[in-house]
Amino acid sequence: MFAALPATSALAEDDFPSVGAATNSDIGLGAVGTPGKAVTVWVDAHNAVKPRFEIDQTGLAGVATFAVPDGNDQCKATGKKIVCDLPQADFTSVPVVLVLHPDKGAAVGDKGTFTLDTMADNAPDLPASVHKVTIADGADLVVTAPVYVSPIPEVKPGDVLFTKAAFVNAGNRAAADATMTMMFDPGIAPFKYEGCTYTETEYPLIVECPVDGTIEPGAGREFVTIDENGKETPGMGAVVAPDALGWKGVDFLALADSVVEDLPPEVLAKAKTKTTKATTGKKFKIRQQEPIVKSLKAQPEIDKNDNYAGIAYGVLNSHDLATIGATASGGVGSVVTVNIGVKNTGVSMLDAYRTGGEPAARFNFVVPDGTEVVGVGEGCVARWKEDDGSIGWDPVPGKRFYDCGIDSSLFKPGESYTTAFKLKITQVIAHATGTVSFTNPFRDPAEPPADANPGNDVAEVVINPNPGGSGGGLPLTGAQTGLVASVGAALLAGGVVLFLAARRRRVVLVVPQDGSAE
């Protein structure tokens, strides 16, 4: 992965250099008899000169020892230290894999520590992190596939994907009755496999397939699809759905004696809606590898920190959102209700889970002249510029500009969302016009992404319309243009910098393909 990184350009004076590394704080390691365990260190660097990290394993004496596996050209073992030189480039969450072995005299229950320290010639020294290693007696399933890759593979609706799923028992005892669990984001539809259980939740579809028998130390298992003609393809098959769009994840979990309750907390938080066991569908088999150490007694899992991995696909597809306007009439002092919103008129489903907490779709409301907001629509906040240049943001009435988000996590094709604003008419103006649009001077205009059909991106909110007056979908004009333009200019003049919420990024554990110590 390092080989593909671009070189860092010359440092700018205002670019703060940094380097960091992280790994699991507590590591369970099988006793003597384990084949060794891959430990992944995730590293980041920005404008750092000679970035590097060191592992000081003095505190592991008599307990365990790190080794540098074949293929790791960045790290060297020097005495009690492992020193890893990183490329001088900008990168985030790049894995460096080392292997941990129990020492010959280590006994079950022994504990030790190692320190992880990062540094660069031009970055300040940060405190080293301390990590604990405990020698345990039992099985230790370590996921070896899928392996997260960057950039993520691009796919399109209708594509058939086979996501590899494999693990190795890195413990010193056999594992019994394991389960291979795959979790598919909406938009990635897995095949039906005879004998597997399918659980629908609010977000992922969970597929659990049994692994019969015991898995000896050093032995691995791999999921293999068997088609109607008997052809075998490694991995679990799935089809990219017609309405899929953007970042879609597929995750894999391997546990001995596992049940759905062993899944990550973020999955457990999603209510189950339906669980079924497939009695028909494609065939599969769990391909075995020969054990390197013989053990007859099955033991429970000793370290669940490395039973998980994931991969992502980027689905290329189009999408189209249309704004929904409204009309109302009344005299001075009357309060009218306008229902405004957005409709998904495209072919793709928008997904709030992949927007860093942002709603699946957003829209904006510029209030018509001669009216005052006395009731704010659900999911909407006013935005305005204070006299001191700061930006106000609160669901309060009486403002001119409102930023709204839908309350649905998945916004599917054909669905609509509206919210109700109550407007008090303060002055009767014939055909007083406000707008519903995706234009927001308080945010980066690229959020949400502009769609390919701008013709339905603006709708009118008209109070006391003229007979035969024009309908929605017209461009921003007149006083409303002045409002948006003046707010935008004020933001620039005040030097206001707005930061958008960062995309949610998964942390995945990456280990060598064979998961062993070689």
Side-chain angles (χ1 to χ4, degrees), residues 276-312:
T276 58
K277 184 173 183 178
T279 56
T280 61
K282 292 187 179 296
K283 305 290 185 182
F284 74 94
K285 74 175 186 178
I286 306 299
R287 181 180 293 164
Q288 302 185 20
Q289 297 175 344
E290 290 300 319
I292 60 175
V293 177
K294 191 68 176 177
S295 176
L296 299 178
K297 185 178 179 182
Q299 294 289 329
E301 175 77 20
I302 62 175
D303 186 352
K304 293 184 179 180
N305 288 319
D306 44 24
N307 294 64
Y308 168 88
I311 192 170

PDB file of all heavy atoms in Angstrom, residues 276-312:
ATOM      1  N   THR A 276     -34.908 -15.280   8.947  1.00  0.00           N
ATOM      2  CA  THR A 276     -35.330 -16.502   8.253  1.00  0.00           C
ATOM      3  C   THR A 276     -34.104 -17.350   7.954  1.00  0.00           C
ATOM      4  O   THR A 276     -32.989 -16.839   7.810  1.00  0.00           O
ATOM      5  CB  THR A 276     -36.045 -16.175   6.923  1.00  0.00           C
ATOM      6  OG1 THR A 276     -35.156 -15.400   6.091  1.00  0.00           O
ATOM      7  CG2 THR A 276     -37.323 -15.394   7.158  1.00  0.00           C
ATOM      8  N   LYS A 277     -34.331 -18.657   7.861  1.00  0.00           N
ATOM      9  CA  LYS A 277     -33.271 -19.571   7.461  1.00  0.00           C
ATOM     10  C   LYS A 277     -33.585 -20.070   6.059  1.00  0.00           C
ATOM     11  O   LYS A 277     -34.681 -20.575   5.790  1.00  0.00           O
ATOM     12  CB  LYS A 277     -33.172 -20.748   8.433  1.00  0.00           C
ATOM     13  CG  LYS A 277     -32.014 -21.689   8.118  1.00  0.00           C
ATOM     14  CD  LYS A 277     -31.845 -22.741   9.194  1.00  0.00           C
ATOM     15  CE  LYS A 277     -30.638 -23.626   8.905  1.00  0.00           C
ATOM     16  NZ  LYS A 277     -30.418 -24.641   9.965  1.00  0.00           N
ATOM     17  N   ALA A 278     -32.629 -19.906   5.159  1.00  0.00           N
ATOM     18  CA  ALA A 278     -32.843 -20.300   3.765  1.00  0.00           C
ATOM     19  C   ALA A 278     -32.811 -21.818   3.634  1.00  0.00           C
ATOM     20  O   ALA A 278     -31.874 -22.477   4.095  1.00  0.00           O
ATOM     21  CB  ALA A 278     -31.784 -19.670   2.871  1.00  0.00           C
ATOM     22  N   THR A 279     -33.855 -22.356   3.041  1.00  0.00           N
ATOM     23  CA  THR A 279     -33.916 -23.800   2.786  1.00  0.00           C
ATOM     24  C   THR A 279     -33.627 -24.124   1.331  1.00  0.00           C
ATOM     25  O   THR A 279     -33.493 -25.290   0.965  1.00  0.00           O
ATOM     26  CB  THR A 279     -35.301 -24.347   3.163  1.00  0.00           C
ATOM     27  OG1 THR A 279     -36.302 -23.624   2.439  1.00  0.00           O
ATOM     28  CG2 THR A 279     -35.545 -24.170   4.663  1.00  0.00           C
ATOM     29  N   THR A 280     -33.548 -23.082   0.506  1.00  0.00           N
ATOM     30  CA  THR A 280     -33.166 -23.238  -0.893  1.00  0.00           C
ATOM     31  C   THR A 280     -32.145 -22.155  -1.217  1.00  0.00           C
ATOM     32  O   THR A 280     -31.885 -21.263  -0.420  1.00  0.00           O
ATOM     33  CB  THR A 280     -34.383 -23.104  -1.821  1.00  0.00           C
ATOM     34  OG1 THR A 280     -34.957 -21.796  -1.652  1.00  0.00           O
ATOM     35  CG2 THR A 280     -35.423 -24.157  -1.517  1.00  0.00           C
ATOM     36  N   GLY A 281     -31.596 -22.235  -2.414  1.00  0.00           N
ATOM     37  CA  GLY A 281     -30.629 -21.238  -2.842  1.00  0.00           C
ATOM     38  C   GLY A 281     -29.341 -21.881  -3.282  1.00  0.00           C
ATOM     39  O   GLY A 281     -29.253 -23.095  -3.483  1.00  0.00           O
ATOM     40  N   LYS A 282     -28.325 -21.062  -3.433  1.00  0.00           N
ATOM     41  CA  LYS A 282     -27.033 -21.571  -3.880  1.00  0.00           C
ATOM     42  C   LYS A 282     -26.383 -22.428  -2.806  1.00  0.00           C
ATOM     43  O   LYS A 282     -26.616 -22.268  -1.612  1.00  0.00           O
ATOM     44  CB  LYS A 282     -26.122 -20.403  -4.259  1.00  0.00           C
ATOM     45  CG  LYS A 282     -26.563 -19.650  -5.504  1.00  0.00           C
ATOM     46  CD  LYS A 282     -25.537 -18.628  -5.896  1.00  0.00           C
ATOM     47  CE  LYS A 282     -25.974 -17.880  -7.155  1.00  0.00           C
ATOM     48  NZ  LYS A 282     -26.052 -18.775  -8.318  1.00  0.00           N
ATOM     49  N   LYS A 283     -25.543 -23.316  -3.254  1.00  0.00           N
ATOM     50  CA  LYS A 283     -24.781 -24.148  -2.343  1.00  0.00           C
ATOM     51  C   LYS A 283     -23.491 -23.419  -1.960  1.00  0.00           C
ATOM     52  O   LYS A 283     -22.995 -22.556  -2.689  1.00  0.00           O
ATOM     53  CB  LYS A 283     -24.445 -25.487  -2.977  1.00  0.00           C
ATOM     54  CG  LYS A 283     -25.648 -26.260  -3.506  1.00  0.00           C
ATOM     55  CD  LYS A 283     -26.527 -26.789  -2.402  1.00  0.00           C
ATOM     56  CE  LYS A 283     -27.643 -27.654  -2.963  1.00  0.00           C
ATOM     57  NZ  LYS A 283     -28.544 -28.148  -1.876  1.00  0.00           N
ATOM     58  N   PHE A 284     -22.975 -23.768  -0.804  1.00  0.00           N
ATOM     59  CA  PHE A 284     -21.672 -23.247  -0.412  1.00  0.00           C
ATOM     60  C   PHE A 284     -20.929 -24.330   0.348  1.00  0.00           C
ATOM     61  O   PHE A 284     -21.504 -25.329   0.789  1.00  0.00           O
ATOM     62  CB  PHE A 284     -21.821 -21.992   0.458  1.00  0.00           C
ATOM     63  CG  PHE A 284     -22.273 -22.270   1.865  1.00  0.00           C
ATOM     64  CD1 PHE A 284     -21.364 -22.425   2.907  1.00  0.00           C
ATOM     65  CD2 PHE A 284     -23.629 -22.383   2.165  1.00  0.00           C
ATOM     66  CE1 PHE A 284     -21.783 -22.689   4.190  1.00  0.00           C
ATOM     67  CE2 PHE A 284     -24.063 -22.642   3.457  1.00  0.00           C
ATOM     68  CZ  PHE A 284     -23.132 -22.792   4.478  1.00  0.00           C
ATOM     69  N   LYS A 285     -19.638 -24.128   0.480  1.00  0.00           N
ATOM     70  CA  LYS A 285     -18.856 -25.004   1.340  1.00  0.00           C
ATOM     71  C   LYS A 285     -17.813 -24.172   2.059  1.00  0.00           C
ATOM     72  O   LYS A 285     -17.460 -23.058   1.624  1.00  0.00           O
ATOM     73  CB  LYS A 285     -18.201 -26.127   0.537  1.00  0.00           C
ATOM     74  CG  LYS A 285     -17.012 -25.712  -0.320  1.00  0.00           C
ATOM     75  CD  LYS A 285     -16.389 -26.953  -0.976  1.00  0.00           C
ATOM     76  CE  LYS A 285     -15.112 -26.615  -1.726  1.00  0.00           C
ATOM     77  NZ  LYS A 285     -14.481 -27.815  -2.329  1.00  0.00           N
ATOM     78  N   ILE A 286     -17.367 -24.675   3.177  1.00  0.00           N
ATOM     79  CA  ILE A 286     -16.301 -24.038   3.933  1.00  0.00           C
ATOM     80  C   ILE A 286     -15.023 -24.806   3.647  1.00  0.00           C
ATOM     81  O   ILE A 286     -14.855 -25.938   4.075  1.00  0.00           O
ATOM     82  CB  ILE A 286     -16.609 -24.024   5.434  1.00  0.00           C
ATOM     83  CG1 ILE A 286     -17.973 -23.390   5.690  1.00  0.00           C
ATOM     84  CG2 ILE A 286     -15.525 -23.287   6.188  1.00  0.00           C
ATOM     85  CD1 ILE A 286     -18.102 -21.955   5.244  1.00  0.00           C
ATOM     86  N   ARG A 287     -14.170 -24.206   2.853  1.00  0.00           N
ATOM     87  CA  ARG A 287     -12.923 -24.866   2.461  1.00  0.00           C
ATOM     88  C   ARG A 287     -11.963 -24.892   3.647  1.00  0.00           C
ATOM     89  O   ARG A 287     -11.738 -23.884   4.319  1.00  0.00           O
ATOM     90  CB  ARG A 287     -12.298 -24.120   1.280  1.00  0.00           C
ATOM     91  CG  ARG A 287     -11.007 -24.733   0.777  1.00  0.00           C
ATOM     92  CD  ARG A 287     -10.462 -23.922  -0.387  1.00  0.00           C
ATOM     93  NE  ARG A 287     -11.333 -24.028  -1.557  1.00  0.00           N
ATOM     94  CZ  ARG A 287     -11.285 -23.196  -2.598  1.00  0.00           C
ATOM     95  NH1 ARG A 287     -10.424 -22.189  -2.586  1.00  0.00           N
ATOM     96  NH2 ARG A 287     -12.069 -23.367  -3.639  1.00  0.00           N
ATOM     97  N   GLN A 288     -11.358 -26.038   3.894  1.00  0.00           N
ATOM     98  CA  GLN A 288     -10.491 -26.222   5.058  1.00  0.00           C
ATOM     99  C   GLN A 288      -9.026 -26.167   4.674  1.00  0.00           C
ATOM    100  O   GLN A 288      -8.643 -26.420   3.531  1.00  0.00           O
ATOM    101  CB  GLN A 288     -10.792 -27.566   5.722  1.00  0.00           C
ATOM    102  CG  GLN A 288     -12.235 -27.720   6.167  1.00  0.00           C
ATOM    103  CD  GLN A 288     -12.456 -29.018   6.924  1.00  0.00           C
ATOM    104  OE1 GLN A 288     -11.526 -29.618   7.424  1.00  0.00           O
ATOM    105  NE2 GLN A 288     -13.706 -29.439   7.005  1.00  0.00           N
ATOM    106  N   GLN A 289      -8.220 -25.826   5.670  1.00  0.00           N
ATOM    107  CA  GLN A 289      -6.772 -25.915   5.565  1.00  0.00           C
ATOM    108  C   GLN A 289      -6.282 -26.870   6.633  1.00  0.00           C
ATOM    109  O   GLN A 289      -6.877 -26.987   7.703  1.00  0.00           O
ATOM    110  CB  GLN A 289      -6.127 -24.529   5.753  1.00  0.00           C
ATOM    111  CG  GLN A 289      -6.526 -23.525   4.680  1.00  0.00           C
ATOM    112  CD  GLN A 289      -5.962 -22.156   4.991  1.00  0.00           C
ATOM    113  OE1 GLN A 289      -5.530 -21.873   6.102  1.00  0.00           O
ATOM    114  NE2 GLN A 289      -5.976 -21.289   3.987  1.00  0.00           N
ATOM    115  N   GLU A 290      -5.214 -27.555   6.363  1.00  0.00           N
ATOM    116  CA  GLU A 290      -4.705 -28.540   7.311  1.00  0.00           C
ATOM    117  C   GLU A 290      -4.100 -27.851   8.536  1.00  0.00           C
ATOM    118  O   GLU A 290      -3.402 -26.845   8.415  1.00  0.00           O
ATOM    119  CB  GLU A 290      -3.635 -29.418   6.653  1.00  0.00           C
ATOM    120  CG  GLU A 290      -4.204 -30.374   5.608  1.00  0.00           C
ATOM    121  CD  GLU A 290      -5.226 -31.330   6.203  1.00  0.00           C
ATOM    122  OE1 GLU A 290      -4.991 -31.825   7.327  1.00  0.00           O
ATOM    123  OE2 GLU A 290      -6.254 -31.571   5.558  1.00  0.00           O
ATOM    124  N   PRO A 291      -4.368 -28.360   9.747  1.00  0.00           N
ATOM    125  CA  PRO A 291      -3.776 -27.769  10.949  1.00  0.00           C
ATOM    126  C   PRO A 291      -2.279 -28.033  11.007  1.00  0.00           C
ATOM    127  O   PRO A 291      -1.791 -29.038  10.502  1.00  0.00           O
ATOM    128  CB  PRO A 291      -4.508 -28.485  12.088  1.00  0.00           C
ATOM    129  CG  PRO A 291      -4.930 -29.791  11.489  1.00  0.00           C
ATOM    130  CD  PRO A 291      -5.224 -29.505  10.043  1.00  0.00           C
ATOM    131  N   ILE A 292      -1.562 -27.110  11.622  1.00  0.00           N
ATOM    132  CA  ILE A 292      -0.124 -27.305  11.799  1.00  0.00           C
ATOM    133  C   ILE A 292       0.197 -27.808  13.212  1.00  0.00           C
ATOM    134  O   ILE A 292       1.300 -28.238  13.490  1.00  0.00           O
ATOM    135  CB  ILE A 292       0.664 -26.021  11.525  1.00  0.00           C
ATOM    136  CG1 ILE A 292       0.229 -24.892  12.478  1.00  0.00           C
ATOM    137  CG2 ILE A 292       0.479 -25.571  10.090  1.00  0.00           C
ATOM    138  CD1 ILE A 292       1.060 -23.628  12.334  1.00  0.00           C
ATOM    139  N   VAL A 293      -0.790 -27.693  14.116  1.00  0.00           N
ATOM    140  CA  VAL A 293      -0.620 -28.233  15.464  1.00  0.00           C
ATOM    141  C   VAL A 293      -1.879 -29.007  15.797  1.00  0.00           C
ATOM    142  O   VAL A 293      -2.979 -28.552  15.537  1.00  0.00           O
ATOM    143  CB  VAL A 293      -0.414 -27.097  16.498  1.00  0.00           C
ATOM    144  CG1 VAL A 293      -0.321 -27.676  17.909  1.00  0.00           C
ATOM    145  CG2 VAL A 293       0.837 -26.308  16.177  1.00  0.00           C
ATOM    146  N   LYS A 294      -1.733 -30.205  16.361  1.00  0.00           N
ATOM    147  CA  LYS A 294      -2.883 -31.047  16.680  1.00  0.00           C
ATOM    148  C   LYS A 294      -3.360 -30.777  18.107  1.00  0.00           C
ATOM    149  O   LYS A 294      -2.573 -30.755  19.032  1.00  0.00           O
ATOM    150  CB  LYS A 294      -2.511 -32.526  16.531  1.00  0.00           C
ATOM    151  CG  LYS A 294      -3.719 -33.463  16.573  1.00  0.00           C
ATOM    152  CD  LYS A 294      -4.599 -33.285  15.349  1.00  0.00           C
ATOM    153  CE  LYS A 294      -5.742 -34.284  15.339  1.00  0.00           C
ATOM    154  NZ  LYS A 294      -6.636 -34.070  14.201  1.00  0.00           N
ATOM    155  N   SER A 295      -4.655 -30.533  18.263  1.00  0.00           N
ATOM    156  CA  SER A 295      -5.243 -30.354  19.583  1.00  0.00           C
ATOM    157  C   SER A 295      -6.669 -30.848  19.529  1.00  0.00           C
ATOM    158  O   SER A 295      -7.381 -30.598  18.574  1.00  0.00           O
ATOM    159  CB  SER A 295      -5.216 -28.875  19.980  1.00  0.00           C
ATOM    160  OG  SER A 295      -5.863 -28.687  21.198  1.00  0.00           O
ATOM    161  N   LEU A 296      -7.090 -31.572  20.535  1.00  0.00           N
ATOM    162  CA  LEU A 296      -8.407 -32.189  20.501  1.00  0.00           C
ATOM    163  C   LEU A 296      -9.439 -31.420  21.308  1.00  0.00           C
ATOM    164  O   LEU A 296     -10.625 -31.503  21.033  1.00  0.00           O
ATOM    165  CB  LEU A 296      -8.319 -33.627  21.030  1.00  0.00           C
ATOM    166  CG  LEU A 296      -7.410 -34.562  20.234  1.00  0.00           C
ATOM    167  CD1 LEU A 296      -7.371 -35.929  20.895  1.00  0.00           C
ATOM    168  CD2 LEU A 296      -7.891 -34.675  18.791  1.00  0.00           C
ATOM    169  N   LYS A 297      -9.014 -30.680  22.312  1.00  0.00           N
ATOM    170  CA  LYS A 297      -9.966 -30.031  23.208  1.00  0.00           C
ATOM    171  C   LYS A 297     -10.331 -28.640  22.704  1.00  0.00           C
ATOM    172  O   LYS A 297      -9.466 -27.791  22.515  1.00  0.00           O
ATOM    173  CB  LYS A 297      -9.376 -29.928  24.620  1.00  0.00           C
ATOM    174  CG  LYS A 297     -10.360 -29.368  25.652  1.00  0.00           C
ATOM    175  CD  LYS A 297      -9.734 -29.335  27.018  1.00  0.00           C
ATOM    176  CE  LYS A 297     -10.699 -28.767  28.051  1.00  0.00           C
ATOM    177  NZ  LYS A 297     -10.092 -28.689  29.393  1.00  0.00           N
ATOM    178  N   ALA A 298     -11.619 -28.398  22.475  1.00  0.00           N
ATOM    179  CA  ALA A 298     -12.064 -27.085  22.012  1.00  0.00           C
ATOM    180  C   ALA A 298     -12.157 -26.114  23.181  1.00  0.00           C
ATOM    181  O   ALA A 298     -12.608 -26.467  24.259  1.00  0.00           O
ATOM    182  CB  ALA A 298     -13.424 -27.195  21.328  1.00  0.00           C
ATOM    183  N   GLN A 299     -11.712 -24.870  22.959  1.00  0.00           N
ATOM    184  CA  GLN A 299     -11.724 -23.847  23.997  1.00  0.00           C
ATOM    185  C   GLN A 299     -12.396 -22.579  23.457  1.00  0.00           C
ATOM    186  O   GLN A 299     -12.477 -22.361  22.251  1.00  0.00           O
ATOM    187  CB  GLN A 299     -10.285 -23.515  24.427  1.00  0.00           C
ATOM    188  CG  GLN A 299      -9.573 -24.652  25.118  1.00  0.00           C
ATOM    189  CD  GLN A 299     -10.121 -24.906  26.511  1.00  0.00           C
ATOM    190  OE1 GLN A 299     -10.581 -23.987  27.176  1.00  0.00           O
ATOM    191  NE2 GLN A 299     -10.085 -26.161  26.953  1.00  0.00           N
ATOM    192  N   PRO A 300     -12.885 -21.710  24.326  1.00  0.00           N
ATOM    193  CA  PRO A 300     -13.544 -20.483  23.874  1.00  0.00           C
ATOM    194  C   PRO A 300     -12.548 -19.485  23.292  1.00  0.00           C
ATOM    195  O   PRO A 300     -11.340 -19.592  23.489  1.00  0.00           O
ATOM    196  CB  PRO A 300     -14.192 -19.932  25.148  1.00  0.00           C
ATOM    197  CG  PRO A 300     -13.344 -20.486  26.253  1.00  0.00           C
ATOM    198  CD  PRO A 300     -12.923 -21.843  25.784  1.00  0.00           C
ATOM    199  N   GLU A 301     -13.088 -18.498  22.612  1.00  0.00           N
ATOM    200  CA  GLU A 301     -12.297 -17.424  22.000  1.00  0.00           C
ATOM    201  C   GLU A 301     -11.582 -16.617  23.074  1.00  0.00           C
ATOM    202  O   GLU A 301     -12.153 -16.284  24.109  1.00  0.00           O
ATOM    203  CB  GLU A 301     -13.239 -16.514  21.207  1.00  0.00           C
ATOM    204  CG  GLU A 301     -12.603 -15.295  20.603  1.00  0.00           C
ATOM    205  CD  GLU A 301     -11.813 -15.607  19.356  1.00  0.00           C
ATOM    206  OE1 GLU A 301     -12.050 -16.664  18.748  1.00  0.00           O
ATOM    207  OE2 GLU A 301     -10.962 -14.794  18.987  1.00  0.00           O
ATOM    208  N   ILE A 302     -10.299 -16.292  22.832  1.00  0.00           N
ATOM    209  CA  ILE A 302      -9.536 -15.554  23.843  1.00  0.00           C
ATOM    210  C   ILE A 302      -9.342 -14.081  23.484  1.00  0.00           C
ATOM    211  O   ILE A 302      -8.941 -13.297  24.344  1.00  0.00           O
ATOM    212  CB  ILE A 302      -8.155 -16.207  24.080  1.00  0.00           C
ATOM    213  CG1 ILE A 302      -7.307 -16.176  22.808  1.00  0.00           C
ATOM    214  CG2 ILE A 302      -8.310 -17.615  24.615  1.00  0.00           C
ATOM    215  CD1 ILE A 302      -5.892 -16.703  23.008  1.00  0.00           C
ATOM    216  N   ASP A 303      -9.599 -13.691  22.249  1.00  0.00           N
ATOM    217  CA  ASP A 303      -9.397 -12.291  21.851  1.00  0.00           C
ATOM    218  C   ASP A 303     -10.341 -11.980  20.694  1.00  0.00           C
ATOM    219  O   ASP A 303     -10.147 -12.450  19.578  1.00  0.00           O
ATOM    220  CB  ASP A 303      -7.941 -12.056  21.437  1.00  0.00           C
ATOM    221  CG  ASP A 303      -7.648 -10.576  21.162  1.00  0.00           C
ATOM    222  OD1 ASP A 303      -8.604  -9.776  21.155  1.00  0.00           O
ATOM    223  OD2 ASP A 303      -6.474 -10.232  20.961  1.00  0.00           O
ATOM    224  N   LYS A 304     -11.372 -11.169  20.948  1.00  0.00           N
ATOM    225  CA  LYS A 304     -12.350 -10.834  19.917  1.00  0.00           C
ATOM    226  C   LYS A 304     -12.020  -9.523  19.188  1.00  0.00           C
ATOM    227  O   LYS A 304     -12.825  -9.024  18.421  1.00  0.00           O
ATOM    228  CB  LYS A 304     -13.752 -10.747  20.532  1.00  0.00           C
ATOM    229  CG  LYS A 304     -14.273 -12.087  21.040  1.00  0.00           C
ATOM    230  CD  LYS A 304     -15.697 -11.975  21.559  1.00  0.00           C
ATOM    231  CE  LYS A 304     -16.195 -13.330  22.040  1.00  0.00           C
ATOM    232  NZ  LYS A 304     -17.586 -13.257  22.551  1.00  0.00           N
ATOM    233  N   ASN A 305     -10.829  -8.964  19.436  1.00  0.00           N
ATOM    234  CA  ASN A 305     -10.459  -7.712  18.777  1.00  0.00           C
ATOM    235  C   ASN A 305     -10.091  -7.882  17.316  1.00  0.00           C
ATOM    236  O   ASN A 305     -10.003  -6.901  16.579  1.00  0.00           O
ATOM    237  CB  ASN A 305      -9.275  -7.060  19.506  1.00  0.00           C
ATOM    238  CG  ASN A 305      -9.679  -6.491  20.849  1.00  0.00           C
ATOM    239  OD1 ASN A 305     -10.743  -5.893  20.977  1.00  0.00           O
ATOM    240  ND2 ASN A 305      -8.833  -6.687  21.858  1.00  0.00           N
ATOM    241  N   ASP A 306      -9.831  -9.129  16.882  1.00  0.00           N
ATOM    242  CA  ASP A 306      -9.372  -9.332  15.515  1.00  0.00           C
ATOM    243  C   ASP A 306     -10.269 -10.315  14.763  1.00  0.00           C
ATOM    244  O   ASP A 306      -9.826 -10.995  13.852  1.00  0.00           O
ATOM    245  CB  ASP A 306      -7.923  -9.834  15.506  1.00  0.00           C
ATOM    246  CG  ASP A 306      -7.682 -10.931  16.540  1.00  0.00           C
ATOM    247  OD1 ASP A 306      -8.660 -11.606  16.919  1.00  0.00           O
ATOM    248  OD2 ASP A 306      -6.530 -11.090  16.965  1.00  0.00           O
ATOM    249  N   ASN A 307     -11.540 -10.370  15.165  1.00  0.00           N
ATOM    250  CA  ASN A 307     -12.491 -11.273  14.509  1.00  0.00           C
ATOM    251  C   ASN A 307     -13.298 -10.565  13.432  1.00  0.00           C
ATOM    252  O   ASN A 307     -14.288 -11.105  12.934  1.00  0.00           O
ATOM    253  CB  ASN A 307     -13.463 -11.861  15.540  1.00  0.00           C
ATOM    254  CG  ASN A 307     -12.766 -12.765  16.527  1.00  0.00           C
ATOM    255  OD1 ASN A 307     -11.920 -12.313  17.288  1.00  0.00           O
ATOM    256  ND2 ASN A 307     -13.103 -14.026  16.519  1.00  0.00           N
ATOM    257  N   TYR A 308     -12.892  -9.388  13.044  1.00  0.00           N
ATOM    258  CA  TYR A 308     -13.707  -8.549  12.169  1.00  0.00           C
ATOM    259  C   TYR A 308     -12.855  -7.934  11.068  1.00  0.00           C
ATOM    260  O   TYR A 308     -11.691  -7.589  11.280  1.00  0.00           O
ATOM    261  CB  TYR A 308     -14.337  -7.429  13.001  1.00  0.00           C
ATOM    262  CG  TYR A 308     -14.978  -6.323  12.223  1.00  0.00           C
ATOM    263  CD1 TYR A 308     -16.300  -6.395  11.824  1.00  0.00           C
ATOM    264  CD2 TYR A 308     -14.251  -5.182  11.874  1.00  0.00           C
ATOM    265  CE1 TYR A 308     -16.897  -5.371  11.110  1.00  0.00           C
ATOM    266  CE2 TYR A 308     -14.835  -4.157  11.160  1.00  0.00           C
ATOM    267  CZ  TYR A 308     -16.164  -4.254  10.789  1.00  0.00           C
ATOM    268  OH  TYR A 308     -16.742  -3.238  10.067  1.00  0.00           O
ATOM    269  N   ALA A 309     -13.437  -7.814   9.887  1.00  0.00           N
ATOM    270  CA  ALA A 309     -12.799  -7.078   8.791  1.00  0.00           C
ATOM    271  C   ALA A 309     -13.892  -6.609   7.847  1.00  0.00           C
ATOM    272  O   ALA A 309     -15.032  -7.079   7.904  1.00  0.00           O
ATOM    273  CB  ALA A 309     -11.783  -7.953   8.045  1.00  0.00           C
ATOM    274  N   GLY A 310     -13.557  -5.676   7.002  1.00  0.00           N
ATOM    275  CA  GLY A 310     -14.553  -5.157   6.081  1.00  0.00           C
ATOM    276  C   GLY A 310     -13.936  -4.661   4.791  1.00  0.00           C
ATOM    277  O   GLY A 310     -12.717  -4.466   4.698  1.00  0.00           O
ATOM    278  N   ILE A 311     -14.791  -4.487   3.814  1.00  0.00           N
ATOM    279  CA  ILE A 311     -14.378  -3.946   2.531  1.00  0.00           C
ATOM    280  C   ILE A 311     -15.480  -3.014   2.065  1.00  0.00           C
ATOM    281  O   ILE A 311     -16.620  -3.104   2.524  1.00  0.00           O
ATOM    282  CB  ILE A 311     -14.128  -5.071   1.492  1.00  0.00           C
ATOM    283  CG1 ILE A 311     -13.407  -4.531   0.253  1.00  0.00           C
ATOM    284  CG2 ILE A 311     -15.423  -5.782   1.128  1.00  0.00           C
ATOM    285  CD1 ILE A 311     -12.928  -5.620  -0.696  1.00  0.00           C
ATOM    286  N   ALA A 312     -15.141  -2.073   1.199  1.00  0.00           N
ATOM    287  CA  ALA A 312     -16.136  -1.132   0.693  1.00  0.00           C
ATOM    288  C   ALA A 312     -16.124  -1.136  -0.822  1.00  0.00           C
ATOM    289  O   ALA A 312     -15.094  -1.411  -1.458  1.00  0.00           O
ATOM    290  CB  ALA A 312     -15.856   0.277   1.215  1.00  0.00           C
TER     291      ALA A 312
END
